[in-house]
Amino acid sequence: DTYLYFFDDQGVLLRKLPWKFGKISDACWSGRLNRFVLCGDNCGICFVHDKTISIADNRCFGDYKLQSCTSSPSSLFASTDGTSAKVME
């Protein structure tokens, strides 16, 4: 079984959640959304809440294979993988 592990700043395990969406290629923090954003091979983008530490939408979404993500104060950016790679806002 595969899990997401959440630790506090002292390295103490806070919680672990089952992860069924394959390899995570990147993760970033979105201050605007107030949650972590995960890019994965099998789910596109998935959101993980900061305070509750639960997966926001187990269905995930997106038809693209996303390689990486980052955020600005107003936007979330994700890049696709492959020969015709692009950046989406």
Side-chain angles (χ1 to χ4, degrees):
D1 291 337
T2 305
Y3 294 92
L4 291 176
Y5 292 89
F6 297 89
F7 298 90
D8 67 12
D9 57 356
Q10 302 297 314
V12 175
L13 178 64
L14 298 173
R15 185 176 227 180
K16 73 177 187 177
L17 296 173
W19 181 256
K20 303 173 186 174
F21 304 109
K23 178 184 165 193
I24 298 170
S25 57
D26 197 15
C28 68
W29 171 257
S30 171
R32 181 170 175 86
L33 298 173
N34 198 32
R35 63 196 63 170
F36 290 101
V37 179
L38 306 178
C39 294
D41 286 349
N42 298 327
C43 72
I45 292 180
C46 199
F47 300 107
V48 178
H49 291 274
D50 170 36
K51 296 190 190 277
T52 60
I53 312 178
S54 63
I55 295 174
D57 185 350
N58 286 336
R59 293 172 295 142
C60 299
F61 61 89
D63 297 328
Y64 298 100
K65 182 176 180 184
L66 299 173
Q67 182 63 35
S68 61
C69 62
T70 191
S71 67
S72 72
S74 61
S75 297
L76 173 66
F77 300 92
S79 65
T80 62
D81 195 12
T83 57
S84 58
K86 60 183 171 181
V87 175
M88 298 177 288
E89 181 178 6

